[in-house]
Every structure is written in structure tokens, then in C-alpha cells.
């Protein structure tokens, strides 16, 4: 195998994305079907409204923070593809961050490069940035938060965490594992945290007990200085940006950018298992019991994953994101990028080989998706009533997601993200001996 | 046309007591640049033509010997231009314009705009009433004597093209040839075909897609009125109407001619139905023709409606769209199975995570 240089990988990906953006412009002008996502046109319109002093929420279906419209103001000043370049640049930045994180954890170079390639050359990721979707920016921010935690810059990580929860609500699920990892054991007051490096060893010595023990620790000393500081700074940043947007754009902002996402029940067909149920009951009042039943699975799964895997932070975040997307009331293709950016961070610690467990995972996930898309095509473009079949296809897709998640958990080599104080001491003792 | 009014201009600005740092440089090049900037800033307010812009530019650049005078002028111009753009002056202007024509109300660009200014929802009976009243749309039942241009419709054919939730409704208008007494009049006029499609609640038109069609030149202008929410299902939305403007050269009507209009429509999610399909019926469009002629350098507008009652016209107009809808019978089954699957998968993840943690403890106790 030829040795791959990371810089050349990055350069090649950059050139490829530029070519895709140019191709996208050509396709938009010459073909019936647009390459550019509809959402990108929504962002651009909202940005031009903002540039002329109006509220971006005058554009229907604009459901994001005003910061996004602000980022895209040069769309109307410089060129309409400015946004796509920004998103593709964030895409490349994510690749760089992944490489940085893996290097810091002393992952061997070849393995590191392969992991980075699973992001840079993943068809989902390069199409999403070049089509004009804003998710790469979100992914870049999340990885930067992980890097800040690695370096021990708590204030900075808290700032970016508050900002990203304002931008997209879903990272709120990461609050508990991050707070858990800010343990005095890992973050002592006198020095920066020490990362646990990658090893080729099969299993890790379990010094800190299993998940139940950490829950006990949590209840004992939840209010440590670092945890409080993180919580308060991120909450303050969140309320600052939200308050500023509310001051500028009023109730419309709150409704479109925040409340819509929290109470969203879209009866239109999507990958979620709940879509048909929502359609059949649309317009009827939903009882409290029903709301509880639909919220409970999501809640339980998140809790169990957090308490079992919090110490291995990247894996915890990955597993949580996969579960969150799978159990959500609405699933669209852009949500998949949320866990694709975390996948390269856990691959070096996976015992799964490409043959045949890896191939099984990939094929079952893609297969379930294609199966769903086939029924969706029949419904939307051929006008046949295949609601029941489409719903069954979404159940199959959900089953595939859960199956892959359990497989990944079983093949994972648990590796704590940081070294605890006891580990450091025992290491030093071992060295002396 | 009252344009002289806008060019009265007092070049002597009030001198304001300003105290700015004396070190501010004010060379001749600064003067010219800032004058240029000022002229362009006030342009949107006053619609100056090229000559007047040049005059303003020259006056500002040559008279502004010091930057204080310049700042004073800017403030003066700002105050003056905000007065110019106030409604008081605008209404006076429009009265002046419309006084020349025959008595009918200022014609709005879109007929549907007038309807939705008065009513909140689209109801067929209310709309039929609205359109038959002359005053609302400026319809003239009696045409001007020297004009006999009335396109005669021979066939009106409607069709639904495509499959699935995104289709086009096409309207084909076939006209018989015209016999004209005074052909010279036709050459100097243009006709606007206004097609009003009243859409049922089951379908909607995407305003952004229609704007793209306008940009590509398929229509001259399009707008959607009424409920334009693209996401709600049909039982929670109100009706909308699409108004299409097509400019046609009247000379085409000297021979038998066709006009074909294709409007892209999308299906909404339908209310539940036992059979699994819900049928939506698209009614006949209302077609108005607005012609304007330039005679003796005056604009004359007149409307007429292409008649629906003519026995000679052949109508093929049944447009029925079958849209899939959910079946109520599935309701309970879907509810039970969805939540069972959700709980089952929760259990699976629960068990596998706990088992994983336990196996880690077991490994550790084996090693130590």
C-alpha cells in the first residue's frame, strides 16, 4: 500500500469539492433537476432579506438561527455560491480536525489516514457540503469542542457549546456526557488533562469501575467548579445569542428557529418510523400519555448510552447521535452527517474488520435506505398508495440502524478518553519499577 | 407629467455649527468622490434622470469648498429626500396620472390582489360575484367603438400531465382567425392574457418555482394568492389561486392560433380515505384579456372576459387528480406496531450496553 500523505489527501478533496460546486452550477442552469438543495435557496433568500435590513424569517421555511443568514450575506454581494464554498471549507476543516484528534491520541499514521478518508471520501459528506447544506459547519463546531476539551480550554469549549446549541438544538444531548467527563479525576485543578493514547492491546484495564460506579461518583460530587463553570458559560452564551436574535427578530425567530424543531411533527413521508402514525392522527389532539410513550424510548436509550460510555467520550457521542437520529420523529438524509463526522474518531478502537462484519453493516444500512427510497419513489413520483409498505420500509431501516449500533457496541474496545489521576500514578510507579 | 417639480433644488445649504477635527483632509478629489456618493444615495428617493444627476453632481462638487459645507448639504438632502418619498406627495402624483383616463379605479397589477384585499379566503361564489362586477377589475362590457378586437375562442382543452404528486395542468386555447376592419390599430397594441386558476385545497403551487419560470421567460408574470403554506396537509389549509400573465402580440390572432399554458402543481397530503385515494377536481380557469392601445399618445386599457357561455366553443375540461391518502383502517395497527418496535429496540440497546459493561467488569476481574 502506498503511503498516503494527509496534506495531499486534503488537497485532493478540496479540488474535488471545487469541481463539484462548479458542476452543480452547470447542472442548475442546464438540467430540469437541480443539484443545489432547496434549503440553500432558502438560506440565500433569507440572507439577502437580512442584507437589505429585513427579517430573514420573512422567507417561508427558513428555520435556522439568524447567524446562518448572516454567514451567507456575501451570497448576494460576491457570488451566489459563497455559501457552498463556506460549507465545503467546513467539510475540509472537519477532516483536518479528525486528523488532529487522532494524531494527538497517537493513532498510527496509516490507520489515521484511512479513518480520515471515511469522512473525506464519503459520498454523503461531499455531496452535502457542495449542495449547500449547513451541516458541515455544525460538525466542525462539535469537533472543535472536543479538541478544546482535549487541550483543557474549558471556557472556549463552553462558548462553542452554547453557540452550537443555539444554532442547532440537537447537541443538547451531549451536555450530560461532557459534564460527566469533566470529572476532577480527569481535570485536576493544577494541570491540563492527559489523553489516553491508542494501543494495539486487546482490552483495557478497568480501573475506574463500570457505569454504575460512575453514577455513584456523579451523585457524590456533581457540583465541581469545572462543571459549574462549563454549565454556566454555555448557558450564558446560549441565552445571549438567543436573546439577541429575539431582540432583533421577535417572536417569529423563537417560533421558527426554536419551537418548530422542538414540537415538529411532520406528517410528510420521511425515514422515521413515526411518520405514518403522525399522518393518521394529524389534526387530532394527542393525549399526554401518547406524548410520553413517544418520548420515552428516546430518553431511555440516551440515558443508558450516557451512563455506560461517558468516559469514552467520542464513542458516547457517536452512539448517542446514531440513537437520537434513529428514534427521532423526523429523519431526513442530512441528519446522517451528524454521526458520520464522529465515526472516524471511533474506528481505530473497533475490533470490527471490513470483512465481513464491516461490509455487513454498510450493506444492510445502504440496502435498507435504498429499499425505503424505492417505496418513496413509488408514492411520490408514481402516485401509488404504498403508505403501508413505506412504513414497513421505515421500520426495516430503523431495525438496521439498531442492529448496526449493537454490532458497533459489541466490537468496540472501550478506551477512556482521558487518563485519570490513578492511571497516571500507576504509570509512573510502573516506570520507576 | 409633473417631473419639473422634482428638479427644484436649493443649492445653498444651511450652515450648521459642526465641530469636527480640523485635520480632516478635504482635497478636490475628495469633493468629487463624496459628491458622487451623495448623488447615488439620493437617487432611489428622487428618481433623478441622467441630466439632473449630472447637475446635482457638479453643483455639489464645485460648491463644497469645505467639508463642513458638505456635511451640511448631506443633512439637508437627507431631510429633503425623506419628505419627497412620503405618502403625501405620492398620492398627489397618482391622482394627477389617473385623471387623464376614463373613470375607472387605478388598475392593480394583479386582479387577485384586489380580491384578497377584501376577502380572507377564496370561496367560489364570492369570487364569481367579484369578477362579474365591473368596478373591481375594470371590466368593460361596452368596448370602445373603434376597437373590435375580441379573440374568438374555439376550443378550450384542459389536461393533467405527469404522474405522482408533482404534475402540470395544461390549458390549451385555440382561437379562430380574426377579421379586422382597421388593422392599423392592432399593430400598436399589446394584449395581456390573465389566467386565474382557482386551486382546490388538495393541491398547491410553489411560488418560488413559478418565479423561476418567469425568469426563464415562460410567463410574463405570476403570483400565488391565498394560502401559500407549502407543508400543511390539505385539511388544515385554505384555498389558493394562481394568477398568470401572458403577453401576446394581437397580430397573431389574424390567423388561427393556439396558446398553451402549463402550470406546475403539487399535491398536498390528503385527509384519510377508505379507498386509499382522494380525488381532487380542478375547475375551469377564468381567463381575462386586458388590452392596451396607444392612441393619440394616451393609454387605453380595457378588459373583457373570454366567455364561458358560448355554444360554439368546445370544452374538454374534466381534470381529476387521484392522490394517495392514508387509510383510517390502518390507524390502530400502525400505532401498536410502531410503539412496540420502538420499545423493543430500546430494550435491545439497553441490554447490549449493559451486557457490554458487565463483560468489561468480568474481563477485569479475570485479569486482576
Amino acid at each position: 500500500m502506498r503511503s498516503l500523505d494527509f496534506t495531499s489527501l486534503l488537497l485532493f478533496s478540496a479540488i474535488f469539492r471545487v469541481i463539484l460546486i462548479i458542476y452543480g452550477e452547470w447542472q442548475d442552469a442546464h438540467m430540469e433537476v437541480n443539484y443545489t438543495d432547496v434549503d440553500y435557496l432558502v438560506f440565500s433568500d433569507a440572507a439577502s432579506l437580512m442584507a437589505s435590513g429585513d427579517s430573514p424569517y420573512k422567507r417561508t421555511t427558513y428555520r435556522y438561527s439568524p447567524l446562518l443568514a448572516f454567514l451567507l450575506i456575501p451570497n448576494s454581494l460576491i457570488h451566489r455560491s459563497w455559501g457552498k464554498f463556506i460549507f465545503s471549507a467546513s467539510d475540509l476543516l472537519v477532516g483536518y480536525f479528525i486528523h488532529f484528534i487522532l494524531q494527538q491520541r497517537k493513532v498510527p499514521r496509516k490507520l489515521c489516514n484511512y479513518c480520515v478518508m471515511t469522512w473525506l471520501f464519503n459520498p454523503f459528506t461531499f455531496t452535502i457540503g457542495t449542495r449547500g447544506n449547513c451541516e458541515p459547519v455544525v460538525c466542525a463546531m462539535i469537533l472543535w469542542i472536543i479538541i478544546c476539551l482535549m487541550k483543557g480550554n474549558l471556557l472556549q469549549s463552553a462558548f462553542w457549546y452554547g453557540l452550537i446549541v443555539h444554532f442547532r438544538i440537537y447537541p443538547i444531548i451531549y451536555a450530560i456526557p461532557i459534564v460527566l467527563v469533566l470529572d476532577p479525576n480527569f481535570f485536576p485543578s493544577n494541570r491540563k488533562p492527559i489523553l489516553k493514547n491508542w494501543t494495539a492491546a486487546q482490552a483495557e484495564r478497568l480501573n475506574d469501575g463500570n457505569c454504575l460506579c460512575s453514577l455513584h461518583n456523579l451523585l457524590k460530587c456533581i457540583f465541581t467548579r469545572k462543571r459549574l463553570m462549563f454549565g454556566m458559560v454555555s448557558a450564558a452564551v446560549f441565552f445571549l445569542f438567543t436573546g439577541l436574535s429575539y431582540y432583533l427578530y421577535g417572536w417569529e425567530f423563537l417560533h421558527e428557529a426554536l419551537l418548530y424543531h422542538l414540537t415538529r411533527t411532520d406528517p410528510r413521508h420521511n425515514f422515521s418510523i413515526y411518520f405514518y402514525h403522525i399522518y393518521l392522527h394529524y389534526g387530532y389532539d394527542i393525549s399526554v400519555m401518547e406524548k410520553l410513550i413517544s418520548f420515552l424510548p428516546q430518553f431511555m436509550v440516551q440515558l443508558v448510552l450516557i451512563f455506560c460510555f461517558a468516559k469514552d467520550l467520542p464513542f458516547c457521542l457517536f452512539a448517542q447521535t446514531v440513537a437520537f437520529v434513529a428514534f427521532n420523529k423526523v429523519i431526513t438524509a442530512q441528519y446522517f452527517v451528524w454521526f458520520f463526522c464522529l465515526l472516524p474518531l471511533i474506528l481505530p478502537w473497533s475490533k470490527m474488520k471490513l470483512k465481513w462484519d464491516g461490509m455487513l453493516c454498510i450493506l444492510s444500512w445502504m440496502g435498507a435506505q435504498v429499499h425505503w427510497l424505492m417505496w418513496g419513489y413509488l408514492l411520490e413520483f408514481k402516485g401509488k398508495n404504498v403508505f403501508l409498505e413505506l412504513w414497513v420500509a421505515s421500520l426495516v431501516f430503523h431495525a438496521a440502524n439498531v442492529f448496526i449500533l449493537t454490532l458497533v457496541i459489541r466490537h468496540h474496545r472501550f478506551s477512556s478518553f482521558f487518563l485519570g489521576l490513578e492511571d497516571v500514578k500507576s504509570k509512573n510507579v510502573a516506570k520507576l519499577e | 407629467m409633473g417631473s419639473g417639480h422634482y428638479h427644484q433644488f436649493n443649492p445653498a445649504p444651511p450652515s450648521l455649527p459642526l465641530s469636527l477635527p480640523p485635520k480632516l483632509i478635504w482635497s478636490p478629489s475628495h469633493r468629487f468622490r463624496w459628491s458622487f456618493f451623495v448623488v447615488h444615495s439620493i437617487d432611489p428617493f428622487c428618481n433623478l434622470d441622467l441630466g439632473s444627476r449630472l447637475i446635482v453632481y457638479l453643483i455639489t462638487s464645485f460648491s463644497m469648498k469645505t467639508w463642513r459645507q458638505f456635511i451640511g448639504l448631506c443633512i439637508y438632502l437627507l431631510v429633503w429626500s425623506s419628505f419627497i418619498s412620503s405618502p403625501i406627495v405620492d398620492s398627489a402624483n397618482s391622482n394627477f396620472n389617473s385623471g387623464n383616463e376614463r373613470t375607472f379605479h387605478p388598475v392593480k397589477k394583479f386582479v387577485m390582489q384586489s380580491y384578497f384585499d377584501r376577502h380572507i379566503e377564496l370561496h367560489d361564489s364570492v369570487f364569481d360575484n367579484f369578477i362579474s362586477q365591473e368596478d373591481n377589475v375594470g371590466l368593460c362590457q361596452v368596448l370602445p367603438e373603434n376597437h373590435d378586437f375580441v379573440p374568438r375562442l374555439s376550443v378550450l382543452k384542459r389536461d393533467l400531465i405527469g404522474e405522482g404528486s408533482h404534475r402540470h395542468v395544461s390549458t390549451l386555447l385555440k382561437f379562430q382567425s380574426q377579421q379586422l376592419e382597421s388593422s392599423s390599430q392592432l399593430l400598436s397594441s399589446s394584449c395581456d392574457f390573465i389566467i386565474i386558476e382557482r386551486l382546490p385545497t388538495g393541491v398547491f403551487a410553489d411560488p418560488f418555482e413559478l418565479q423561476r419560470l418567469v425568469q426563464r421567460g415562460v410567463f410574463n408574470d405570476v403570483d400565488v394568492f391565498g394560502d401559500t403554506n407549502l407543508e400543511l396537509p390539505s385539511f388544515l389549509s385554505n384555498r389558493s389561486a394562481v394568477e398568470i400573465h401572458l403577453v401576446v402580440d394581437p397580430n397573431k390572432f389574424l390567423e388561427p392560433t393556439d396558446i398553451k399554458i402549463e402550470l406546475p402543481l403539487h399535491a398536498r397530503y390528503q385527509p384519510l380515505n377508505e379507498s386509499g385515494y382522494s380525488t381532487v377536481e380542478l375547475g375551469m380557469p377564468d381567463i381575462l384579456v386586458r388590452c392596451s392601445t396607444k392612441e393619440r399618445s394616451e393609454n387605453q386599457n380595457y378588459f373583457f372576459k373570454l366567455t364561458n357561455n358560448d355554444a360554439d366553443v368546445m370544452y374538454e375540461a374534466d381534470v381529476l387528480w387521484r392522490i394517495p391518502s392514508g387509510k383510517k383502517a390502518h390507524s390502530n395497527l400502525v400505532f401498536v406496531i410502531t410503539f412496540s418496535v420502538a420499545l423493543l429496540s430500546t430494550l435491545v440497546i439497553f441490554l447490549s450496553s449493559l451486557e457490554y459493561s458487565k463483560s468489561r467488569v468480568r474481563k477485569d476481574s479475570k485479569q486482576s
Side-chain angles (χ1 to χ4, degrees):
Chain A
M1 275 285 187
R2 50 194 163 84
S3 63
L4 302 151
D5 187 25
F6 174 68
T7 329
S8 53
L9 264 181
L10 208 60
L11 203 62
F12 177 72
S13 315
I15 294 172
F16 183 58
R17 279 157 176 76
V18 169
I19 292 173
L20 270 180
I21 293 176
I22 296 173
Y23 168 73
E25 291 291 307
W26 179 87
Q27 185 173 332
D28 284 352
H30 291 90
M31 287 171 71
E32 223 8 88
V33 178
N34 273 4
Y35 182 80
T36 306
D37 201 14
V38 171
D39 274 345
Y40 187 71
L41 301 170
V42 175
F43 304 155
S44 300
D45 289 342
S48 53
L49 279 171
M50 195 191 233
S52 50
D54 258 329
S55 159
Y57 297 99
K58 285 215 170 88
R59 176 48 160 103
T60 54
T61 71
Y62 180 72
R63 299 210 164 92
Y64 303 88
S65 161
L67 288 177
L68 182 61
F70 183 73
L71 254 183
L72 256 62
I73 283 179
N75 261 18
S76 28
L77 302 172
I78 302 176
H79 189 268
R80 63 167 181 267
S81 296
W82 160 264
K84 290 188 194 171
F85 281 105
I86 290 274
F87 299 146
S88 301
S90 327
D91 200 347
L92 296 169
L93 198 62
V94 168
Y96 176 71
F97 286 159
I98 292 172
H99 179 79
F100 180 79
I101 292 174
L102 292 178
Q103 291 284 63
Q104 290 291 93
R105 295 191 77 185
K106 309 278 191 292
V107 173
R109 213 167 85 125
K110 216 160 104 174
L111 189 54
C112 183
N113 284 336
Y114 281 135
C115 293
V116 171
M117 287 206 297
T118 59
W119 168 262
L120 287 177
F121 298 139
N122 189 338
F124 272 99
T125 55
F126 58 68
T127 48
I128 241 178
T130 51
R131 288 186 74 203
N133 223 296
C134 69
E135 304 299 340
V137 176
V138 177
C139 297
M141 281 204 257
I142 290 185
L143 287 173
W144 180 244
I145 291 170
I146 297 178
I147 292 178
C148 289
L149 285 172
M150 275 164 53
K151 291 184 182 167
N153 298 338
L154 280 188
L155 272 177
Q156 222 193 107
S157 64
F159 169 79
W160 287 102
Y161 188 69
L163 181 59
I164 202 178
V165 175
H166 163 79
F167 199 77
R168 266 316 211 173
I169 315 255
Y170 89 90
I172 196 75
I173 60 174
Y174 302 152
I176 301 180
I178 294 179
V179 160
L180 275 179
V181 116
L182 294 177
D183 195 282
N185 196 19
F186 300 138
F187 279 79
S189 41
N190 52 350
R191 59 168 172 79
K192 291 210 179 293
I194 302 179
L195 283 176
K196 180 138 200 325
N197 294 332
W198 183 87
T199 56
Q202 276 290 57
E204 173 187 288
R205 281 218 53 190
L206 205 72
N207 292 332
D208 39 17
N210 62 10
C211 57
L212 293 170
C213 194
S214 72
L215 174 61
H216 177 63
N217 281 338
L218 175 65
L219 290 172
K220 250 198 329 189
C221 49
I222 188 165
F223 294 115
T224 62
R225 193 169 160 270
K226 289 197 193 287
R227 283 175 175 147
L228 275 175
M229 189 179 71
F230 184 87
M232 291 182 70
V233 171
S234 51
V237 169
F238 172 75
F239 284 116
L240 174 72
F241 280 103
T242 308
L244 185 68
S245 307
Y246 179 72
Y247 172 70
L248 288 172
Y249 303 112
W251 180 244
E252 248 189 335
F253 153 73
L254 266 184
H255 186 262
E256 294 284 327
L258 281 182
L259 295 177
Y260 171 81
H261 292 290
L262 294 174
T263 59
R264 179 178 187 178
T265 46
D266 204 344
R268 290 175 301 167
H269 57 281
N270 59 82
F271 290 107
S272 171
I273 55 173
Y274 296 107
F275 91 88
Y276 198 25
H277 170 75
I278 292 171
Y279 176 32
L280 290 172
H281 287 83
Y282 208 75
Y284 297 104
D285 282 328
I286 309 173
S287 66
V288 177
M289 219 25 224
E290 220 180 277
K291 277 192 195 155
L292 206 68
I293 305 177
S294 44
F295 183 59
L296 212 62
Q298 179 77 279
F299 185 67
M300 297 293 296
V301 168
Q302 294 294 316
L303 276 185
V304 79
L305 287 173
I306 289 171
F307 287 117
C308 287
F309 299 111
K311 288 204 164 31
D312 189 350
L313 191 66
F315 186 76
C316 183
L317 300 185
F318 174 79
Q320 273 188 276
T321 316
V322 172
F324 181 77
V325 171
F327 284 88
N328 205 22
K329 290 240 175 70
V330 172
I331 304 176
T332 56
Q334 67 197 68
Y335 295 0
F336 301 147
V337 192
W338 297 347
F339 54 75
F340 276 135
C341 66
L342 297 169
L343 178 67
L345 298 181
I346 65 151
L347 279 179
W349 284 267
S350 181
K351 286 181 281 189
M352 210 188 294
K353 298 276 169 229
L354 199 58
K355 293 184 198 180
W356 291 103
D357 282 326
M359 285 307 290
L360 180 66
C361 286
I362 295 172
L363 287 175
S364 56
W365 196 74
M366 301 286 327
Q369 247 191 33
V370 169
H371 175 240
W372 188 95
L373 287 171
M374 178 191 81
W375 292 112
Y377 174 78
L378 281 177
L379 175 68
E380 193 171 339
F381 295 99
K382 293 290 176 194
K384 299 207 189 315
N385 184 331
V386 288
F387 276 110
L388 207 61
E389 291 88 338
L390 188 62
W391 168 70
V392 170
S394 63
L395 290 176
V396 168
F397 183 62
H398 177 83
N401 275 324
V402 170
F403 168 70
I404 292 169
L405 182 60
T406 46
L407 217 60
V408 169
I409 290 175
R410 282 177 72 196
H411 285 93
H412 181 66
R413 267 188 297 126
F414 189 94
S415 165
S416 178
F417 198 46
F418 295 114
L419 279 178
L421 284 171
E422 296 87 34
D423 296 309
V424 177
K425 279 186 204 153
S426 63
K427 253 194 186 170
N428 292 336
V429 163
K431 274 190 195 159
L432 284 173
E433 283 172 2
Chain B
M1 273 287 190
S3 51
H5 168 66
Y6 296 120
H7 295 164
Q8 284 158 33
F9 179 89
N10 182 1
S15 58
L16 298 160
L18 297 167
S19 50
L20 285 161
K23 285 200 186 137
L24 199 64
I25 301 165
W26 192 250
S27 63
S29 65
H30 278 89
R31 255 195 272 160
F32 287 118
R33 266 185 270 159
W34 279 101
S35 311
F36 193 72
F37 170 74
V38 163
V39 168
H40 276 269
S41 315
I42 65 172
D43 201 18
F45 296 110
C46 324
N47 295 315
L48 302 171
D49 59 37
L50 186 63
S52 29
R53 258 194 261 167
L54 200 60
I55 292 170
V56 173
Y57 173 69
L58 288 169
I59 289 174
T60 48
S61 43
F62 281 107
S63 63
M64 295 302 105
K65 295 257 166 44
T66 66
W67 47 262
R68 279 187 204 172
Q69 284 180 327
F70 178 77
I71 303 270
L73 172 68
C74 287
I75 295 173
Y76 176 80
L77 282 173
L78 270 168
V79 169
W80 171 63
S81 55
S82 58
F83 172 71
I84 290 295
S85 56
S86 72
I88 309 161
V89 186
D90 271 346
S91 57
N93 205 21
S94 60
N95 281 341
F96 187 78
N97 268 336
S98 57
N100 244 5
E101 297 169 5
R102 293 188 301 144
T103 45
F104 61 78
H105 299 268
V107 177
K108 292 230 171 131
K109 189 162 190 238
F110 284 104
V111 171
M112 288 309 288
Q113 187 64 57
S114 320
Y115 176 86
F116 275 98
D117 281 345
R118 285 158 228 225
H119 305 99
I120 301 172
E121 279 182 27
L122 182 61
H123 292 293
D124 282 330
S125 48
V126 178
F127 182 76
D128 285 334
N129 210 23
F130 168 81
I131 210 121
S132 57
Q133 286 172 19
E134 289 172 29
D135 292 345
N136 292 333
V137 297
L139 269 178
C140 326
Q141 300 293 20
V142 179
L143 295 164
E145 283 165 16
N146 46 12
H147 235 283
D148 52 2
F149 170 57
V150 181
R152 247 166 288 163
L153 192 62
S154 65
V155 176
L156 173 63
K157 195 164 153 194
R158 299 265 283 171
D159 215 350
L160 198 62
I161 304 170
E163 283 181 307
S165 309
H166 312 282
R167 303 197 194 185
H168 288 74
V169 64
S170 87
T171 311
L172 179 65
L173 302 164
K174 276 191 196 275
F175 292 96
Q176 294 168 349
S177 59
Q178 287 285 126
Q179 297 300 324
L180 286 171
E181 289 170 15
S182 46
S183 57
S184 58
Q185 275 161 12
L186 256 190
L187 295 170
S188 59
S189 72
S190 74
C191 279
D192 227 4
F193 269 75
I194 299 174
I195 299 117
I196 299 177
E197 287 271 6
R198 281 176 274 163
L199 303 174
T201 52
V203 299
F204 68 95
D206 185 353
F208 303 105
E209 185 183 13
L210 295 175
Q211 280 307 313
R212 280 200 291 276
L213 287 177
V214 171
Q215 280 166 10
R216 275 180 25 207
V218 177
F219 304 130
N220 287 89
D221 214 342
V222 171
D223 210 350
V224 184
F225 299 92
D227 191 337
T228 54
N229 189 311
L230 307 177
E231 296 169 336
L232 284 179
S234 77
F235 40 93
L236 288 178
S237 32
N238 293 315
R239 291 181 66 185
S240 57
V242 181
E243 184 168 329
I244 304 171
H245 288 203
L246 265 183
V247 171
V248 177
D249 180 11
N251 289 330
K252 282 177 75 178
F253 293 102
L254 293 172
E255 288 156 11
T257 184
D258 290 353
I259 296 180
K260 189 166 187 192
I261 302 127
E262 273 188 28
L263 179 66
L265 293 176
H266 309 274
R268 287 197 202 275
Y269 261 56
Q270 301 299 305
L272 307 179
N273 197 309
E274 280 318 309
S275 64
Y277 290 92
S278 169
T279 313
V280 163
E281 189 175 339
L282 286 167
M284 290 290 284
D286 293 293
I287 306 173
L288 304 171
V289 183
R290 175 163 63 189
C291 290
S292 61
T293 55
K294 253 202 164 74
E295 270 189 281
R296 289 174 256 123
S297 70
E298 277 171 6
N299 277 339
Q300 275 197 351
N301 291 338
Y302 56 93
F303 265 100
F304 47 85
K305 188 171 172 202
L306 283 182
T307 176
N308 266 356
N309 306 324
D310 203 335
D312 296 338
V313 182
M314 192 165 72
Y315 292 105
E316 291 175 39
D318 240 358
V319 178
L320 293 171
W321 188 346
R322 269 181 100 220
I323 305 173
S325 63
K327 291 186 189 167
K328 196 128 176 71
H330 293 160
S331 209
N332 288 329
L333 176 77
V334 169
F335 173 70
V336 166
I337 296 188
T338 307
F339 288 99
S340 313
V341 167
L343 284 173
L344 188 68
S345 38
T346 310
L347 211 64
V348 165
I349 296 178
F350 214 87
L351 289 174
S352 57
S353 308
L354 286 179
E355 197 214 314
Y356 180 78
S357 307
K358 277 198 197 131
S359 68
R360 277 180 61 212
V361 174
R362 255 184 273 127
K363 264 190 208 146
D364 186 51
S365 57
K366 270 188 200 165
Q367 283 172 353
S368 56

